[in-house]
Amino acid sequence: MVGKPIIPASMRGSYEAFQFAPATRVGDLLILSGQIGVGPDGNAIADLEAQFTRAFEQIGEILHEAGLSFDNIVDLHTFHVGLQAHLGKFMKVKAKYITEPFPSWTAIGVVELALPGIAVEIKATAAYN
């Protein structure tokens, strides 16, 4: 492997069970895998605002483990089931974590994600300064 996996302790189980790193550092970039909002039971959080918040919290854990913050994010891709229906609510939560200067962002509507009830998956790229 060219890059170095970044694995917060809270995500070690997922790393081993699903065989993917929460993030990989390649040079001056940190490429984060998509994050979803699941509860302690591993199921989708029913309340969408709480689900979106949990996905961003997990991104924060990964960034912290890598010595970075949300300010280091340079690119964001979000995959939405029901994009038009919940975009406003998603943007409200996103604004708590992603502030100016804003990174590039692509929002994509999809038919389904990995788990039933998941409404968004957030993938990001961060840069070391």
Side-chain angles (χ1 to χ4, degrees):
M1 174 185 234
V2 173
K4 176 187 177 207
I6 304 296
I7 310 160
S10 65
M11 298 178 187
R12 174 64 60 184
S14 292
Y15 172 77
E16 293 168 359
F18 298 106
Q19 302 174 342
F20 75 94
T24 303
R25 181 174 180 172
V26 181
D28 288 339
L29 293 178
L30 183 68
I31 302 165
L32 284 78
S33 295
Q35 298 300 307
I36 57 177
V38 296
D41 62 359
N43 293 315
I45 298 170
D47 177 78
L48 289 183
E49 190 168 330
Q51 185 182 132
F52 302 156
T53 298
R54 182 64 193 132
F56 276 107
E57 288 173 347
Q58 289 180 184
I59 289 170
E61 289 176 38
I62 296 165
L63 291 168
H64 179 76
E65 181 74 18
L68 300 175
S69 73
F70 283 98
D71 292 338
N72 294 93
I73 291 178
V74 295
D75 187 48
L76 197 64
H77 284 82
T78 56
F79 303 89
H80 304 257
V81 175
L83 174 62
Q84 296 299 315
H86 71 243
L87 186 60
K89 187 175 283 190
F90 178 80
M91 289 182 66
K92 177 182 167 190
V93 173
K94 178 181 158 286
K96 296 176 186 176
Y97 298 92
I98 307 293
T99 58
E100 287 193 75
F102 300 115
S104 57
W105 175 33
T106 302
I108 303 165
V110 299
V111 175
E112 65 182 349
L113 292 166
L115 295 175
I118 293 296
V120 74
E121 185 163 341
I122 307 168
K123 180 175 177 23
T125 301
Y128 288 85
N129 296 353

